[in-house]
Amino acid sequence: MSRHHRETPLVRLEPATADEYAAIRLLVLESHAGGVAEARRISLSDAREEAARKIEEVLPRALETPGMLFRTAWVADQPVGHIWSALPAPPDRPEAAWVFFVTVHPEYRGNGYGRAILLAAEEELLGLGVRRLELNVFGRNTAAIGLYRSLGYEVTSQQMAKPLQPAPTVT
């Protein structure tokens, strides 16, 4: 049976503890910094500093920041991943929640847990009145892009970049 036809495993999402939040924050920082460093061709150190600043801006009260949902995904008694989402923030986007980060622990990847985590988050958010879910994904993250497309996400905006090289001089 192909991976696309495999039954999606069931996960339960639980609010993250302070220790889990600390781990999620580190994963977010490293993941975002790696993507930014590659996409913008800057040093990983500079990208980490930028990511840390952005995290502090978005999460001034860390785990207690209003409107932020940090969840750990569990299968039985095993944590398999995490998701960080934000509730709609009127007046800017009164209908849309935002997924900042979703991850599956490496030893569980390739088994449908990413799909299961997103579907469980969608169910929770629907119950909170959310009618639209948005996210960003780095262009080279083809596995995530494939997952999001298979779940019905569509491209709504796109950034592109091209490094410029000076023309060779002729003497």
Side-chain angles (χ1 to χ4, degrees):
M1 183 182 287
S2 82
R3 179 180 294 188
H4 299 289
H5 292 56
R6 183 183 303 162
E7 192 170 314
T8 302
L10 293 177
V11 300
R12 76 178 187 285
L13 298 181
E14 298 286 339
T17 65
D19 287 343
E20 290 165 341
Y21 168 78
I24 294 167
R25 186 187 182 289
L26 183 59
L27 288 168
V28 168
L29 189 135
E30 288 301 314
S31 174
H32 187 71
V36 166
E38 181 181 7
R40 293 190 23 219
R41 298 183 180 174
I42 63 174
S43 75
L44 188 54
S45 173
D46 287 347
R48 280 187 182 119
E49 286 179 24
E50 180 180 317
R53 276 193 308 275
K54 284 187 177 183
I55 290 169
E56 295 308 314
E57 286 174 18
V58 174
L59 300 170
R61 293 180 46 205
L63 185 61
E64 302 303 320
T65 302
M68 298 295 171
L69 304 176
F70 292 91
R71 302 292 186 251
T72 298
W74 295 83
V75 172
D77 63 346
Q78 292 297 312
V80 297
H82 305 283
I83 188 164
W84 165 25
S85 56
L87 294 174
D92 297 340
R93 304 297 286 274
E95 79 291 351
W98 189 264
V99 173
F100 278 98
F101 182 72
V102 61
T103 189
V104 174
H105 298 314
E107 64 271 26
Y108 296 103
R109 290 182 183 155
N111 293 299
Y113 291 115
R115 171 179 302 282
I117 291 168
L118 285 161
L119 290 172
E122 288 177 14
E123 186 176 321
E124 178 182 13
L125 291 165
L126 265 170
L128 294 172
V130 172
R131 296 296 174 252
R132 182 177 175 88
L133 191 54
E134 300 178 356
L135 53 79
N136 277 336
V137 61
F138 287 107
R140 292 187 182 187
N141 191 345
T142 56
I145 291 168
L147 171 61
Y148 300 143
R149 282 191 175 136
S150 77
L151 287 168
Y153 288 80
E154 298 175 348
V155 174
T156 58
S157 67
Q158 190 166 328
Q159 288 184 331
M160 298 178 80
K162 175 186 175 184
L164 300 178
Q165 301 294 326
T169 57
V170 178
T171 56

